[in-house]
Amino acid sequence: MSKTTSPDGSLEVINARRTESIDAPHIVALATKSTEALFGRVNIVNIIEKAILAVTLSNAADEILGHAAFFDFPNLPDVDEAAWEAWMSKFYDTSKCNALNTLFMHYFVSKNEYAHGCAEEIIRTAFNAVPDLHFLFLVVPHGVYPDAAVADVFKPLDKKEDVMAGPNNCVMFVCHRHNHVPVLHIRHARVEDHDDLTPIFNRHSDMLKLTYGDYFLAELIEAQNDNMQCLVAEVEGTAQGFMSISDDVNYDLLNNCFELGPFHGLRHPHPEDEEEVPKVPTPTPPPERDEAGGSGRSSQISWSSSLSHEDYGDVRQYDEELKDEGGTADEGTTEKSGTAKTETEPKTVGSRQSSAKSSKGSASGEVKVRPRLSDAQMNGSCSSLLSEYSQASVAPEVLEQQQSAPPTQGSQRNVGSRDSVRGTPQAQLNVPPKYFIPTYKGSANAFTVQLFCIDERFEMRSFDFLGKAFSLFPTMDFCIITVPHLVPEFPLLQGFVRVTPRSSSTLPQELYVFHRSGLLKDFQVRVACTSDVSGVETLVKTVDLHDNLLKDLKQFNMARRDETGTEIQAFVAESQDQIVGVAIVRREEDIEYIRSHYNIEDFIYYNHHRREDHAHLHHFALNPIFNHLSKHFLKEILRLGHKTCLYYPLYPPYTKKEIVDKHSLVGCLNNLVPVHARRQIVYPLAELGDNAPSQRVLKHQEPYALNHINRKLTLEPKVTINARIVVVGASDVGISFLETLAYCPHLRFNNLTLISPHGIPGEMAPDTLRDSLLSTSHCYTQEEYSKSALRTWVNVVYGKMSAIDRKKKLVVVNGNVVVPFDHLVISTGQQYQVPCPTDADIEAGETNADLENSPDRRHTGSVPKNLFLTNDAYDSAVALYRVENGLLKTEKKVVVYGNSLDAVCCVQTLMAVGVEPSRISLVQPPLAYEVTCVNIPTVEKTIADNLAAAGVTVHTNCILARFNTTDDGSEITSLDFTTKSRPLNVQCDALFPFYKKSVDYDSFKAINNACLVYDGKLVIDASFHTNDVAIRGAGTLTKFQRRYHADQWTHSNFNSKEVGISLAGEMLRLFDPTVEPQSAPGEEPLNLIPIYRSPKIQGGILPGGLHYLHVAKPSLPVPLDVHMAQSDYGRELISGEAGPDACYFRLHLNQYNTIETITCLSKQPVPASNLICLFGIHERYLNNMLSRYEEGLIKDFYSYFQQPWSMAIYHDRFPDFRDEIRELLITSPEEALEALEEKVRMVVDDEISMSKTQLRELLEAYAGTGAKRAVETRLLSFISYNYYHLPMYAKPGMV
């Protein structure tokens, strides 16, 4: 934000921002004849879409004053964008110009009265936004001279002395950085600089002043010596910045807490360095914890990883405090490694068999961590990001010996195991494995920045300090900085590489590293050639699947196309005549599929990119010391390859190896933006025939998560968030929250952590039977999980929360491992628990009315082996494995205990697996409320009839009284129940309990012992806050504070995915600069709970193989007959019958004829994703459904909603179209005219129906004001733009 002089002579505040496409009409309005003469006739939307940097200036009223667009090549049609350097060097001395420091201005407009100020400000903004930029060029056609405002900034470029004439059709003008952005003079600090620097420090924080006194800076400057130096940035004789550097670094602490392998431990090479895993294990017993601590592997918690050795004692003391409370996070841990191992397994990844095998020790205290893809991985030091098969950092012999031992309790973090990748914990080992941490014995090779501050006007030039800093430590190759997690990333850090913490680290600091070679400015990207092969081999030898990279490079050198004829391009990055980077791309042949299945149009205007402009990134490796130039590397790939967009897939861990192996590690994933997958229409292909979408849209592909970058994103920085956000519980709410944060395109969250017993859902391979054992909320499907790739961005800790230390901000997992947090989200939800028998006296004939003990008590005894507690897909896989390999081979009896929808689905799945229905007993306890799980008598009767017809025994109103077990109590043999009349005994060889969902006891203890308010559930306010500002709660675990007087309403009444998105929105207030900040929870003027509008959905496969779907408005549970008796209920529309061959479809329309409830029960699969879209739609949208139904024209809603006319309603962008239409109708066409909405409100009354005269007047107004024409135009535009999805509609001119 700066100021310029307005026409009346006053100063006006102007704001510089990135140009958006919506600015195009205003920019066109600023163009003049001289603009066209200078830049030609251009499509301004295309200019904005493909510009590397587009800047717009606006005033306080958001009025656009000026605009400029910059590209990385000249706007000359006869000059190849990939060869402009050679072209310019023919005529001009451009030895100092290169692709890294040069841009070209392709367009500039401004208001005449602000022209000079706008030109100056835009140029200054460009230089500040791109620190490496030193030259701006302007191509001026012969016979044209720039306007005065441009001519003041750009000056003619002198030709070479031996060149008589310049280019035939233009003249080059140049603008230099030093003329517009002050040059920082870096020198040694002097005591007299104190007065200049103190105000700068005080503007940022007065902490140093309060801690060390008023003259701390002068004392620090005076204390300089060979080991500690102070630098100052001087501008026009005034000190504007300060940096204190020192060579006092605690290398052992840093090596234990961070993955410093790519940086050789910040030490010089030494012959005795231990960088590789020892091949032969030592045959001695594993060291005790004290020995581990003495070896330096014990977790050290410090305020700064660059603390001197003298400060280390306090660190150890703090570590001991943590150990006394239950241990630190690194007891028996490995380094956070993402290296890959590609050996094969006999079972499918994520299969029920592998899940069951790993379940043996899953509840006995094991804690494993699978980190997000690390920064070290992304910088080319490790393995494939796609396969995620992991290579443990432990000797194979040791691992084999450990795995053969019996499981015991222990605190372990088996990072990156194949099972952990898919979310299935492995069997525990008998001792905490000691994973290898490299040992470096060379001399010190790093100095640290201890203190840094600079005036905000010059902060983009912070990099200028580094050249002087390295000159003071000529033997050091690395500069490091440590910052607390909650400190925002400042411009200096944008050139540093963030080092990934090891999974064992609880250090409250982030470490950033910069290599001396990063100061080199000879980084050049060019097309690869045959002579580069040896250099590339050396670069990528540690990259997994590097053989495929080299194979593609060879193919490029041979033919420029692969075996299928697809164009292939290879590029290398050079510095000091050494290959430091390589990238290989292919032409994107599936761009139609990508466009139709992913929201790439959130980032590009598709129609402005040719088909050949899209490329698919297969390989990208870059030396970590040049990581800060990875975006420049991507920009050069686009320029040299004549592309505008790049795409990169991340496949789920169960994908076929031959698909995954086509890609290798990309070292630029942090620079790409993740792209949301689009919900797809389920097409009735038989009915559509030739009017169905093309096979390019419909074809089946292995699902993947898509990442993307385009030209306009290459210079757009992300805001880095290092705050440690820990989510407890992989519920729909928690996953939705994490997904929303991870998919913010302009933010990068480095420390998202999920604590869950079974990791991230969806990591196991698809399995229809497994997924049908429990009902579904339709918040996420298996395919949606596979297209989100949360495992890429989220660290996963396998275990259960057992304690919370609010003071130290720690979560204790499984009683012995701590996970630090800055913000904690508790979203564990509620689970089915082991039912507790009432211990009723069966022999005395007690009934339900005679019970002394509540059936809702917590079970405290041992859990029988044949009791299968099933709460998620992992539990389902384990249970079905045991069923398939045990029960099916015998005549044993199975009991399903519960009256929930899950219990009914479980019975159907057991029959589908092959269990004889006669061996299954469904025992239903009394209803807790009057409302049943489906709440529709017709459907309930169908379920009961199908169970009876199949031969399943059903007992109702039964309460568990006693487990009858074997002599050792390990297995159940039969169950005793009390009923309303006489006791009931049921033989039981396997029990599936679905009695009641409640809060997990370990979670309750953790919450209660932490003194968080708990009133039957975790108490929160409308903004998700608990009584601790750093801890939030969401989901079915929570309830609202009593001051809202809404005790019946909880998050369980709402759509969990919407709740998670809302929670993320609240969290983003703290971090997103584009959202209004909220430093602390404000006082709520009205005690109202938030409103959620998405429907609550249930689905499942019921007995008889019936597919069930229920979509309803968020509401309190009320019996259907009571609800229908209300005067404002509306009406119901029903088609079909609910029988053994059900084709039942029920719609509930409210009093405004909007669909409020959808219930489907069908023998055939239901297109659930389509039908869910009908919720909240007025019947007039549905082809005048109500009148057709009343006329008897609709016999079957299933076939009605599969007719071609309905496809647009299922389109994922149809809600946006509805919003556009509403915006048209509520906006006044002219200032003097009323909006159509206002006229409607004038004539509509809730009590009196609209007369025919009033309706006619409204219709006339609708047509007369142009609203009707505008709506029709929008509708045709919607159909036309999305025609690849909606070809069944005729467009104007087709008929």
Side-chain angles (χ1 to χ4, degrees):
M1 184 177 294
S2 56
K3 296 180 179 180
T4 189
T5 305
S6 62
D8 59 5
S10 61
L11 290 178
E12 186 168 357
V13 175
I14 58 174
N15 178 49
R17 58 172 174 81
R18 296 267 177 165
T19 305
E20 301 173 0
S21 297
I22 198 173
D23 299 327
H26 306 285
I27 294 172
V28 170
L30 296 177
T32 62
K33 290 183 179 179
S34 61
T35 305
E36 184 175 337
L38 181 59
F39 299 106
R41 184 173 297 177
V42 299
N43 182 331
I44 189 60
V45 176
N46 192 60
I47 288 285
I48 296 171
E49 179 67 14
K50 297 182 180 178
I52 292 293
L53 177 66
V55 181
T56 291
L57 300 182
S58 59
N59 59 16
D62 206 24
E63 178 187 10
I64 291 180
L65 305 179
H67 161 80
F70 301 93
F71 284 68
D72 52 351
F73 57 87
N75 50 333
L76 290 170
D78 55 343
V79 176
D80 185 357
E81 64 185 75
W84 67 263
E85 292 174 272
W87 173 82
M88 281 191 67
S89 63
K90 292 179 182 178
F91 307 101
Y92 304 101
D93 181 9
T94 57
S95 57
K96 295 182 179 180
C97 301
N98 55 48
L100 179 62
N101 63 17
T102 303
L103 289 179
F104 297 82
M105 190 165 77
H106 280 216
Y107 201 72
F108 172 80
V109 290
S110 67
K111 282 198 167 186
N112 290 332
E113 56 269 31
Y114 294 95
H116 286 79
C118 284
E120 289 279 353
E121 183 60 27
I122 285 177
I123 295 302
R124 187 161 48 246
T125 300
F127 282 125
N128 281 327
V130 188
D132 287 321
L133 180 62
H134 285 271
F135 303 97
L136 287 175
F137 287 104
L138 173 66
V139 178
V140 179
H142 278 309
V144 178
Y145 196 78
D147 291 338
V150 176
D152 287 346
V153 175
F154 288 87
K155 302 299 179 183
L157 182 63
D158 294 333
K159 296 188 292 292
K160 286 183 176 180
E161 293 182 0
D162 57 341
V163 174
M164 299 301 296
N168 293 330
N169 54 355
C170 67
V171 177
M172 298 298 295
F173 281 59
V174 65
C175 172
H176 296 275
R177 165 185 282 279
H178 58 79
N179 292 330
H180 298 273
V181 178
V183 176
L184 300 186
H185 171 57
I186 309 299
R187 58 169 174 80
H188 273 96
R190 299 189 290 264
V191 175
E192 49 266 33
D193 295 323
H194 174 272
D195 293 343
D196 292 337
L197 296 171
T198 298
I200 301 175
F201 275 93
N202 291 341
R203 280 200 298 272
H204 288 86
S205 172
D206 59 356
M207 180 61 69
L208 290 172
K209 177 181 176 182
L210 295 175
T211 305
Y212 299 107
D214 291 338
Y215 301 102
F216 74 92
L217 202 54
E219 294 168 0
L220 181 63
I221 294 172
E222 212 167 23
Q224 293 183 81
N225 54 39
D226 292 341
N227 299 319
M228 191 276 288
Q229 304 276 351
C230 296
L231 301 176
V232 158
E234 183 181 283
V235 179
E236 297 178 353
T238 303
Q240 301 289 359
F242 176 85
M243 178 182 283
S244 171
I245 54 179
S246 169
D247 61 1
D248 189 10
V249 177
N250 191 334
Y251 293 95
D252 292 336
L253 175 61
L254 294 182
N255 191 41
N256 285 331
C257 294
F258 296 94
E259 290 187 1
L260 290 176
F263 312 102
H264 202 80
L266 302 178
R267 292 181 180 271
H268 288 289
H270 190 277
E272 297 181 8
D273 289 341
E274 298 177 9
E275 299 182 72
E276 297 182 357
V277 181
K279 296 181 179 180
V280 181
T282 306
T284 57
E288 300 297 327
R289 282 182 55 183
D290 292 342
E291 296 176 11
S295 67
R297 287 197 231 175
S298 177
S299 173
Q300 308 297 344
I301 307 220
S302 168
W303 313 122
S304 171
S305 54
S306 59
L307 290 175
S308 66
H309 294 279
E310 290 78 11
D311 297 327
Y312 195 46
D314 295 334
V315 175
R316 289 195 296 269
Q317 180 180 356
Y318 186 74
D319 191 35
E320 290 301 323
E321 293 178 10
L322 289 181
K323 289 182 180 179
D324 293 340
E325 297 185 11
T328 60
D330 76 313
E331 297 170 0
T333 65
T334 72
E335 61 179 312
K336 186 181 283 188
S337 170
T339 52
K341 185 165 71 175
T342 57
E343 77 278 14
T344 58
E345 289 187 352
K347 297 294 182 184
T348 303
V349 177
S351 65
R352 295 200 291 272
Q353 290 86 345
S354 61
S355 299
K357 289 178 182 177
S358 64
S359 69
K360 297 177 182 178
S362 61
S364 49
E366 175 188 14
V367 176
K368 303 195 287 107
V369 172
R370 178 164 58 80
R372 65 188 282 275
L373 296 179
S374 68
D375 299 80
Q377 286 174 306
M378 295 180 186
N379 296 332
S381 61
C382 297
S383 63
S384 171
L385 301 183
L386 294 118
S387 64
E388 293 196 10
Y389 301 147
S390 144
Q391 177 180 348
S393 304
V394 66
E397 298 87 348
V398 176
L399 190 60
E400 182 178 354
Q401 177 184 357
Q402 292 171 337
Q403 289 178 334
S404 64
T408 65
Q409 283 208 4
S411 164
Q412 300 156 18
R413 288 190 174 192
N414 302 332
V415 180
S417 67
R418 289 196 63 183
D419 285 295
S420 70
V421 167
R422 62 177 180 259
T424 51
Q426 291 179 317
Q428 294 182 42
L429 311 181
N430 62 327
V431 293
K434 300 301 177 184
Y435 290 94
F436 177 74
I437 294 180
T439 302
Y440 304 97
K441 300 181 180 180
S443 58
N445 195 24
F447 63 90
T448 178
V449 176
Q450 291 184 323
L451 193 60
F452 174 76
C453 192
I454 191 169
D455 190 284
E456 341 180 294
R457 294 173 297 169
F458 311 105
E459 62 181 0
M460 296 307 297
R461 300 304 307 163
S462 301
F463 238 55
D464 295 349
F465 276 99
L466 295 181
K468 181 69 173 179
F470 275 103
S471 69
L472 297 177
F473 293 98
T475 62
M476 306 292 191
D477 289 332
F478 294 100
C479 174
I480 66 172
I481 303 178
T482 59
V483 293
H485 289 101
L486 293 179
V487 171
E489 192 176 73
F490 42 93
L492 177 63
L493 292 182
Q494 292 175 5
F496 283 62
V497 178
R498 175 183 177 266
V499 184
T500 305
R502 298 189 189 276
S503 58
S504 59
S505 175
T506 54
L507 199 71
Q509 300 268 331
E510 292 285 344
L511 173 64
Y512 288 83
V513 172
F514 183 85
H515 190 273
R516 177 187 296 273
S517 298
L519 296 174
L520 300 172
K521 299 304 179 184
D522 65 341
F523 186 88
Q524 179 186 4
V525 181
R526 58 173 174 78
V527 176
C529 58
T530 306
S531 61
D532 297 326
V533 173
S534 60
V536 172
E537 287 178 345
T538 303
L539 175 70
V540 303
K541 63 183 179 181
T542 60
V543 177
D544 186 35
L545 302 179
H546 63 273
D547 290 340
N548 294 327
L549 187 155
L550 296 174
K551 179 182 175 182
D552 285 345
L553 179 60
K554 179 181 178 182
Q555 183 68 31
F556 167 76
N557 286 326
M558 287 176 54
R560 297 299 196 263
R561 293 184 179 273
D562 62 16
E563 295 84 350
T564 63
T566 304
E567 177 191 23
I568 185 172
Q569 295 174 303
F571 307 92
V572 294
E574 265 189 328
S575 180
Q576 300 292 293
D577 298 324
Q578 181 180 342
I579 302 297
V580 297
V582 61
I584 298 178
V585 302
R586 284 178 169 84
R587 178 169 167 171
E588 182 54 78
E589 297 293 349
D590 289 328
I591 189 58
E592 291 85 3
Y593 177 89
I594 289 176
R595 183 194 185 191
S596 60
H597 285 72
Y598 297 89
N599 268 314
I600 60 171
E601 286 165 301
D602 286 348
F603 305 100
I604 65 172
Y605 271 84
Y606 182 82
N607 291 339
H608 286 271
H609 299 263
R610 301 170 302 170
R611 196 172 190 278
E612 58 268 25
D613 288 342
H614 302 273
H616 186 109
L617 181 63
H618 282 262
H619 310 282
F620 184 106
L622 182 64
N623 190 311
I625 65 177
F626 294 100
N627 183 60
H628 61 290
L629 296 174
S630 57
K631 268 199 172 182
H632 172 69
F633 195 176
L634 291 169
K635 176 169 69 71
E636 286 295 275
I637 291 171
L638 294 174
R639 180 179 70 87
L640 297 175
H642 299 86
K643 307 297 181 184
T644 59
C645 302
L646 280 177
Y647 305 93
Y648 179 74
L650 282 168
Y651 289 94
Y654 49 79
T655 305
K656 297 176 183 177
K657 186 175 183 293
E658 55 267 25
I659 296 177
V660 172
D661 285 358
K662 294 178 181 178
H663 304 78
S664 68
L665 165 73
V666 294
C668 58
L669 197 58
N670 273 335
N671 301 125
L672 309 184
V673 292
V675 184
H676 275 290
R678 297 178 62 179
R679 178 177 47 77
Q680 296 299 298
I681 301 172
V682 180
Y683 294 99
L685 298 178
E687 184 163 340
L688 290 176
D690 294 338
N691 291 326
S694 72
Q695 280 304 308
R696 287 184 176 272
V697 173
L698 294 178
K699 69 177 179 179
H700 173 74
Q701 288 195 13
E702 290 289 341
Y704 57 82
L706 184 68
N707 298 273
H708 163 76
I709 193 170
N710 58 59
R711 291 181 57 84
K712 63 185 176 184
L713 294 178
T714 53
L715 290 184
E716 187 168 327
K718 291 185 180 182
V719 178
T720 300
I721 311 297
N722 287 323
R724 297 167 295 185
I725 301 174
V726 176
V727 178
V728 183
S731 61
D732 289 336
V733 172
I735 296 300
S736 174
F737 168 79
L738 289 170
E739 182 187 39
T740 304
L741 295 187
Y743 273 74
C744 286
H746 58 288
L747 304 178
R748 180 192 301 141
F749 288 88
N750 282 327
N751 290 309
L752 297 177
T753 301
L754 173 67
I755 299 174
S756 171
H758 302 146
I760 298 176
E763 294 288 85
M764 293 186 289
D767 186 327
T768 304
L769 281 176
R770 181 196 70 215
D771 295 338
S772 64
L773 191 140
L774 298 174
S775 62
T776 175
S777 65
H778 284 281
C779 288
Y780 289 96
T781 63
Q782 176 73 26
E783 186 170 355
E784 287 174 328
Y785 281 128
S786 64
K787 289 183 176 181
S788 65
L790 277 183
R791 65 193 182 283
T792 308
W793 314 106
V794 179
N795 302 297
V796 180
V797 179
Y798 292 87
K800 293 174 66 175
M801 175 179 69
S802 54
I804 302 172
D805 188 330
R806 290 170 53 189
K807 183 178 180 181
K808 296 177 181 175
K809 290 192 172 183
L810 301 171
V811 175
V812 181
V813 181
N814 284 13
N816 53 17
V817 171
V818 297
V819 178
F821 69 86
D822 297 305
H823 299 277
L824 177 64
V825 174
I826 303 176
S827 60
T828 57
Q830 293 181 306
Q831 296 80 33
Y832 292 112
Q833 308 296 332
V834 177
C836 183
T838 60
D839 296 327
D841 191 347
I842 298 299
E843 288 73 15
E846 286 191 6
T847 64
N848 292 347
D850 303 324
L851 298 180
E852 295 183 1
N853 298 324
S854 169
D856 299 334
R857 295 182 304 164
R858 185 176 69 88
H859 180 74
T860 57
S862 60
V863 179
K865 293 181 181 178
N866 55 346
L867 185 150
F868 300 105
L869 201 58
T870 309
N871 283 299
D872 58 18
Y874 176 93
D875 294 334
S876 299
V878 172
L880 288 180
Y881 174 81
R882 298 282 294 277
V883 168
E884 291 173 345
N885 292 274
L887 291 176
L888 288 184
K889 302 174 183 178
T890 66
E891 295 297 320
K892 293 181 178 180
K893 304 291 185 181
V894 181
V895 174
V896 179
Y897 179 48
N899 52 25
S900 65
L901 189 62
D902 292 322
V904 180
C905 291
C906 179
V907 172
Q908 167 59 25
T909 302
L910 290 173
M911 291 191 290
V913 169
V915 179
E916 291 292 331
S918 59
R919 295 162 50 196
I920 302 174
S921 296
L922 175 60
V923 182
Q924 297 180 325
L927 289 173
Y929 308 99
E930 297 180 12
V931 181
T932 63
C933 60
V934 295
N935 199 23
I936 298 177
T938 306
V939 177
E940 293 169 12
K941 183 177 184 304
T942 301
I943 295 172
D945 291 345
N946 287 351
L947 287 171
V952 176
T953 305
V954 180
H955 304 281
T956 59
N957 295 313
C958 301
I959 298 177
L960 180 64
R962 187 166 60 199
F963 289 139
N964 298 315
T965 63
T966 55
D967 294 339
D968 60 359
S970 62
E971 292 192 3
I972 300 171
T973 57
S974 65
L975 301 170
D976 289 324
F977 297 90
T978 57
T979 66
K980 288 185 177 180
S981 54
R982 60 180 182 274
L984 172 69
N985 179 267
V986 179
Q987 184 181 346
C988 176
D989 298 298
L991 173 62
F992 289 83
F994 298 97
Y995 173 59
K996 277 184 183 177
K997 285 189 174 182
S998 60
V999 177
D1000 178 74
Y1001 183 66
D1002 290 332
S1003 299
F1004 161 73
K1005 283 198 304 180
I1007 292 169
N1008 194 58
N1009 293 343
C1011 297
L1012 297 176
V1013 177
Y1014 191 91
D1015 182 14
K1017 292 184 176 182
L1018 178 62
V1019 177
I1020 60 172
D1021 63 13
S1023 300
F1024 304 95
H1025 286 283
T1026 63
N1027 55 303
D1028 188 320
V1029 70
I1031 301 177
R1032 291 170 171 82
T1036 56
L1037 165 81
T1038 63
K1039 63 176 293 187
F1040 292 111
Q1041 296 172 357
R1042 291 183 181 267
R1043 64 189 174 97
Y1044 294 106
H1045 302 286
D1047 290 353
Q1048 291 180 299
W1049 288 94
T1050 67
H1051 286 167
S1052 60
N1053 298 109
F1054 305 113
N1055 183 290
S1056 295
K1057 189 172 185 178
E1058 185 182 16
V1059 172
I1061 294 172
S1062 179
L1063 171 61
E1066 290 293 329
M1067 185 71 76
L1068 286 174
R1069 291 178 181 272
L1070 300 174
F1071 304 113
D1072 192 344
T1074 65
V1075 177
E1076 183 180 352
Q1078 184 181 23
S1079 57
E1083 288 293 327
E1084 297 176 40
L1086 299 172
N1087 291 327
L1088 299 175
I1089 64 173
I1091 297 175
Y1092 300 102
R1093 303 189 182 277
S1094 295
K1096 185 79 173 170
I1097 307 171
Q1098 279 186 312
I1101 301 180
L1102 306 185
L1106 301 182
H1107 297 264
Y1108 172 72
L1109 175 69
H1110 183 71
V1111 184
K1113 181 183 75 172
S1115 62
L1116 297 174
V1118 177
L1120 180 62
D1121 54 350
V1122 175
H1123 193 193
M1124 294 181 68
Q1126 296 174 357
S1127 58
D1128 59 351
Y1129 175 74
R1131 59 181 299 179
E1132 66 175 6
L1133 311 179
I1134 297 176
S1135 74
E1137 299 291 336
D1141 298 319
C1143 190
Y1144 177 81
F1145 200 119
R1146 177 183 179 273
L1147 290 174
H1148 165 218
L1149 275 61
N1150 64 16
Q1151 57 185 328
Y1152 305 111
N1153 288 337
T1154 297
I1155 294 179
E1156 203 165 86
T1157 308
I1158 306 165
T1159 305
C1160 301
L1161 190 68
S1162 171
K1163 190 71 173 177
Q1164 302 300 320
V1166 173
S1169 60
N1170 282 4
L1171 299 179
I1172 291 170
C1173 298
L1174 300 177
F1175 175 82
I1177 298 289
H1178 194 278
E1179 61 89 15
R1180 294 294 293 275
Y1181 273 104
L1182 306 176
N1183 214 3
N1184 291 321
M1185 179 189 68
L1186 190 56
S1187 62
R1188 290 175 182 269
Y1189 182 83
E1190 291 174 341
E1191 294 170 12
L1193 300 178
I1194 301 177
K1195 304 297 183 183
D1196 176 21
F1197 278 125
Y1198 288 106
S1199 59
Y1200 180 73
F1201 289 124
Q1202 287 195 352
Q1203 294 176 5
W1205 63 263
S1206 65
M1207 294 299 107
I1209 295 169
Y1210 311 139
H1211 197 274
D1212 62 323
R1213 292 175 181 161
F1214 188 72
D1216 297 331
F1217 167 69
R1218 291 175 61 199
D1219 292 340
E1220 289 181 16
I1221 297 304
R1222 176 168 176 78
E1223 185 68 25
L1224 280 176
L1225 300 181
I1226 65 176
T1227 304
S1228 176
E1230 297 178 16
E1231 289 186 11
L1233 298 178
E1234 289 182 319
L1236 195 64
E1237 183 192 38
E1238 296 175 358
K1239 295 182 179 182
V1240 173
R1241 292 187 182 279
M1242 292 173 60
V1243 299
V1244 173
D1245 191 294
D1246 290 337
E1247 304 297 331
I1248 304 174
S1249 60
M1250 188 186 305
S1251 67
K1252 291 184 179 180
T1253 303
Q1254 292 172 322
L1255 178 60
R1256 186 174 62 254
E1257 291 175 353
L1258 285 176
L1259 291 175
E1260 291 174 356
Y1262 174 59
T1265 58
K1268 182 175 185 293
R1269 183 176 181 81
V1271 169
E1272 291 173 349
T1273 301
R1274 290 294 178 92
L1275 175 59
L1276 291 174
S1277 297
F1278 170 75
I1279 296 294
S1280 178
Y1281 192 76
N1282 298 288
Y1283 205 67
Y1284 54 93
H1285 271 150
L1286 304 171
M1288 64 288 303
Y1289 293 91
K1291 294 191 295 185
M1294 293 179 62
V1295 180

